[in-house]
Amino acid sequence: MDNTCSLTADTDNLITERRNSIVTTGKNKSSICCTSDSLAGAVSQRACVFCGARVVLNPVTDAIHLVHGPIGCASYTYDIRGSLSSGSENYRKSFSTDMKEKDVIFGGEKKLAACIDELVEKYNPPAIFVYSTCVVGMIGDDIIAVCKNASQTYGIDVIPVESSGFVSGNKVVGYRAAGEALYKLITPKEGDVIEKTRKLNFLGEYNLGGEKWVVERYLREMGIEINVAMTGDSTVEALKKSPGSCLNLVQCTGSMHWLANKMQEDFGIPYIDVNFFGADNTAESLRKIAEFYDDPEITAHCEALIEREIGAVREVNAKYRKKLEGKRAAIYVGGAFKAFAIIRQLQDLGMEIVLTGTQTGKQEEYERMGRLLSEGTVIIDDANPAEIEKFLVEKKVDVMAGGVKERFLAYKLGVGFIDHNHDRKDGLIGFEGAIKFIREVYATTCSPVWKYMREEKGGM
Amino acid sequence: MPNSDHTRTNHTDTAKLVNENQCHMCMPLGGVVAFKGVEGSMALVHGSQGCSTYMRLTNVEHYHEPIDVASSSLNEKQTIYGGEQNLMKALDNVRRVYKPKVIGVLTTCLTETMGEDLNRIISTYKAEKGEIDTDIIPVSTPSYDKSHTEGFWTATRDIIVHYTRKDIAYHKRINVIIPHISTADIKAIRMILDTWGVEYTLLPDYSMTLDRPFAGKYMKIPDGGTPTSAISEMSGAPVTIQFGLTCEKNISPGHYLEENFGVPLINLPLPIGIGNTDMLMDTLKRITGKPMPKSLGYERGWLIDAMADSHKYNASARPVIYGEPELVYAYTSLCLENGSIPSVIATGSAHSRLIPALEKLLEESDCDEYPVILEGADFSMIEAAALEAGSNIAIGHSGGRLLEEKHDIRIVRAGFPIHDRVGGQRILSAGYGGTLSFLDRFTNTILEKKHSSYRELRKQELLSKIATVTETGFTAE
């Protein structure tokens, strides 16, 4: 049985049906195949619709997140994110209706209603998100009706999140379900008056390792306040005030474009795309925001801030660029937004991106990605370990950026690894985050450990 | 004798409906781990894409190894019309890319609810393909009701069912069947068996597949695991030693071998703690007719010596022990024999024989206080019980981290999954040596907390007492 990797292209180990999901910049005239369902047995790195919805909504700190289904779905997402809270810690609890066989046979609606009763009594939460899972979708529990009923009984928002996993292997569908749930939550009820403010909302920011607070500090220095982030460190009350904001920033575009568009249509709030990963991206984003406010004082503060902060990043960049220039990097992440941010930062360090890809990228995002990359870079949609392994070896990659599942594959091949996953504990945002990022890239790419691995390799 | 009636709680007995902060995971996860202990094997989860990814993630975070699990990636259409075509395609693709000798096909909540008939689909697949050199083993693992513990036992049993036959010649190799333990513990058990010089087949053996020495390359299916040829001969073994005291009969692999092939079953607790390890030694003494090897005798002596060194510190511990039933039983006995009376003993699983086993153990231990025992527990129950009982240390997996964060009840990490520390797979507690290494970690956790807090605590306690003494010399109380 030959199951080891080899330095030659072992195409026998790749699945022919995946051919159109892998392209090389400059070579392929045809466009990449993406946004389709994962191929059975291909060992996709993707998760499911439920996962997408759960990661987007989870950071709402004071809401109860109730997973309606058998135990596994909740168990695997218990306290899944590194999102920080300035107040309530409710969001870190993992609630499940823990469906049993009889609930599957006779229907789980009664149990769901009883669980909601129990949670209201115990926690008196301002809102409950009820996530549907595969089995619930399959047996057809009417979670919308149960939620509506509970909302009326308790006078709080009990919001169904339609996230049955089997609907798609693509998390993006779950992002949409989360967006719809948020939209339901923030849409003013009859008679509600939302005060209009000069504050902005920060969409697609999850306060991983306190990242929202970094940007909040920058904006405050410029004279701008954040109304609420979606959803990092948010509360139900703050979210409900979001329609009064004058602007939406959209950071993680995959998860939040739908909601941003909806808020533009219905509440007249314009949005701009921002990206606070990397010094140049941060500076650009701050300038865009200042431009929107069109206030000389804000602009002056913005420029002063950038000037003060960017110098430190440039210094660190220059120091480590000497060590990192010419190193070869691979990127495989969940969404294109993250890929763009990492590509730019690694290129700033003089590194060459030789492989990149995402789980959920769209056609236009891949096209944009191609334009950022030099000729000969491999781009993979919905990659699997066999493909990642093949290209890490073939392209002689020095360091890879990605999530937990890719980390140990890289290590096994003696390749450094930069964590950019959603359970990260250290913030990588803004100018200080850029410095942390550069240091992490250096620490892993140039670690002495690879020397021993290479020696071991030679000896085998 | 302690009266246990008021201390037992079973989740299903109470009015509590919501499971808050889970202490267990789903059935197919345990099945995946069991299949990783079979040589040349690959696990395929029949369900939607998320399930296999979650199980991979949980394993990857614990073992720090690349662990591939395939999925039939069902979507809405197949959920309505059946997942047969997807499963067949998945089998094709897995065979092509991984070239496995064995594929374990595990069902999920979704495919169980759909009523997918794995046996029929697989026989159709085999009929269509003709001769294939891949063994395909279906395992039914509906997640509602049961936990990853039962998934592990069920898959192990089904692997044995698949390979064993009646016409196997009697041989000398004993069967050793393990529950879901760390790879370090598997190695420790192997070391004991090797030291005794017995021949054995250990199943499932994921000690090499889930903990790889660096070798300069990535192996899609790593070397190691129990060879299928050895599994098929388990029916001809002289005896089965199964570390499955808490395993229910209907899913017990050892029980299957006994019932169908007359292989006598010796069901032992995990060899963690001195008494439990002695039981294994006594068994091996009986089987081999030889005295215990000297090196193991030394290890036993070192352990007793260390127990004396640490016994007073251990007496101040009121541990809360949680996790999979077999481990919970073993750690409870270890604590009892060190004078640490458990305050709370809990498992997320609701279908084990843990409670009667614990009751017997507690009765024999003659301890002065009786712990709260929780079955089918979640961490909201464990946390409440631990606070009520004044627990000051915990033994268990990362799921209990809020005990530490919120209440400074420090966790001596053991079990699965450990995702907030490195080396979950290297946590050693089996054998005399392993028990000693665990005991040192346990005692040092108590000492670490004592040294970091006793000055402040004593100061507060004693100075506040002085403050209550009035000038006339009588205390205000």
Side-chain angles (χ1 to χ4, degrees), chain B residues 5-25:
Chain B
D5 287 351
H6 64 288
T7 56
R8 278 181 50 175
T9 316
N10 186 327
H11 191 168
T12 50
D13 293 343
T14 67
K16 192 173 174 299
L17 288 164
V18 177
N19 187 300
E20 176 179 332
N21 298 345
Q22 292 71 44
C23 187
H24 68 292
M25 282 160 295

Side-chain angles (χ1 to χ4, degrees), chain A residues 1-5 10-17 37-48 50-52 54 66 70-80 89 92-102 104 110-111 114-116 118-119 122-123 134-135 138-139 165-169 384-386 389 404-405 407-409 411-414 421-423 452-454 456-457 460, chain B residues 11-12 15-29 40 42 44 48-58 60-61 64-66 68-77 79 85-87 89-91 93-94 96-101 109-110 113-114 143-148 211-223 350 379-380 398-402 405-406:
Chain A
M1 178 169 57
D2 177 26
N3 54 25
T4 61
C5 77
D10 184 2
T11 43
D12 198 39
N13 267 351
L14 299 185
I15 302 165
T16 31
E17 281 166 281
D37 289 325
S38 296
L39 190 64
V43 192
S44 163
Q45 310 287 88
R46 280 179 178 171
C48 63
F50 162 70
C51 173
R54 174 85 152 163
L66 173 60
I71 205 70
C73 312
S75 200
Y76 298 121
T77 53
Y78 165 19
D79 197 17
I80 196 177
E89 292 276 322
R92 294 190 57 200
K93 297 194 176 96
S94 179
F95 299 100
S96 167
T97 56
D98 193 7
M99 286 174 91
K100 306 291 186 197
E101 194 162 6
K102 68 171 172 25
V104 175
K110 272 191 187 141
K111 186 167 197 182
C115 284
I116 294 171
E118 196 177 297
L119 287 167
K122 188 169 175 190
Y123 292 103
C134 283
V135 170
M138 172 90 202
I139 63 174
F166 62 78
V167 174
S168 166
N384 57 50
E389 176 208 6
V404 188
K405 291 188 298 295
R407 188 194 298 154
F408 302 101
L409 179 53
Y411 288 169
K412 282 288 171 204
L413 297 168
N421 55 338
H422 60 214
D423 71 340
Y452 298 103
M453 286 201 147
R454 275 189 293 271
E456 183 78 22
K457 229 182 216 176
M460 289 301 285
Chain B
H11 191 168
T12 50
K16 192 173 174 299
L17 288 164
V18 177
N19 187 300
E20 176 179 332
N21 298 345
Q22 292 71 44
C23 187
H24 68 292
M25 282 160 295
C26 67
M27 249 186 126
L29 173 74
M42 179 75 184
L44 197 174
S48 68
Q49 177 61 45
C51 302
S52 72
T53 302
Y54 279 136
M55 288 169 219
R56 280 179 73 195
L57 198 59
T58 306
V60 162
E61 284 178 333
H64 288 211
E65 291 281 337
D68 295 352
V69 177
S71 171
S72 56
S73 306
L74 298 191
N75 66 23
E76 203 153 20
K77 212 160 121 195
T79 304
Q85 288 314 310
N86 266 51
L87 180 54
K89 177 160 272 180
L91 287 167
N93 283 333
V94 168
R96 177 180 172 82
V97 176
Y98 288 84
K99 302 176 178 64
K101 285 185 201 153
C109 321
L110 181 67
T113 310
M114 287 160 66
S143 258
Y144 23 83
D145 282 349
K146 296 208 172 134
S147 73
H148 59 301
D211 187 11
R212 299 289 306 151
F214 179 72
K217 56 192 174 189
Y218 166 59
M219 300 171 89
K220 288 197 178 66
I221 296 181
D223 290 343
F379 279 104
S380 75
S398 298
R401 62 199 175 279
L402 291 181
E405 262 184 59
K406 277 166 68 184

Side-chain angles (χ1 to χ4, degrees), chain A residues 218-380:
Chain A
Y218 296 158
L219 293 178
R220 192 168 284 178
E221 222 182 296
M222 287 161 58
I224 298 163
E225 288 290 323
I226 294 180
N227 199 347
V228 69
M230 294 192 191
T231 52
D233 191 28
S234 64
T235 61
V236 170
E237 196 191 343
L239 285 165
K240 282 175 173 291
K241 287 186 185 151
S242 63
S245 299
C246 66
L247 172 68
N248 277 338
L249 307 180
V250 181
Q251 184 166 248
C252 178
T253 49
S255 60
M256 286 291 168
H257 257 165
W258 180 83
L259 186 63
N261 278 314
K262 199 83 180 136
M263 287 176 83
Q264 184 161 29
E265 277 167 33
D266 292 7
F267 311 133
I269 306 174
Y271 73 85
I272 51 178
D273 289 344
V274 292
N275 186 340
F276 288 101
F277 291 95
D280 293 332
N281 282 336
T282 303
E284 255 171 44
S285 297
L286 292 174
R287 285 189 177 116
K288 265 198 215 170
I289 298 164
E291 203 177 301
F292 172 84
Y293 279 90
D294 194 21
D295 173 334
E297 208 169 316
I298 288 175
T299 308
H301 287 316
C302 174
E303 289 306 325
L305 168 82
I306 292 169
E307 200 186 319
R308 188 189 70 218
E309 298 274 343
I310 214 160
V313 187
R314 294 256 156 83
E315 226 169 85
V316 176
N317 185 296
K319 178 178 166 187
Y320 290 105
R321 193 185 164 101
K322 288 180 200 137
K323 311 258 188 193
L324 294 167
E325 202 149 25
K327 298 277 187 197
R328 300 157 74 83
I331 300 165
Y332 188 76
V333 288
F337 156 75
K338 215 186 271 175
F340 294 145
I342 301 173
I343 289 170
R344 187 162 183 186
Q345 286 186 89
L346 294 180
Q347 285 175 338
D348 270 356
L349 287 162
M351 297 169 80
E352 193 190 342
I353 318 289
V354 291
L355 163 67
T356 184
T358 75
Q359 293 172 22
T360 62
K362 299 188 197 84
Q363 193 65 51
E364 62 272 22
E365 290 170 331
Y366 281 119
E367 278 163 20
R368 193 182 145 201
M369 202 178 286
R371 289 194 293 274
L372 296 173
L373 298 162
S374 52
E375 203 175 301
T377 304
V378 174
I379 302 179
I380 312 182

Side-chain angles (χ1 to χ4, degrees), chain A residues 208-211 277 424-429 432-434 436-437:
Chain A
L208 301 179
E211 288 179 338
F277 291 95
R424 170 157 71 74
K425 307 291 183 282
D426 294 312
L428 294 174
I429 217 169
E432 55 250 67
K436 267 191 211 159
F437 180 84

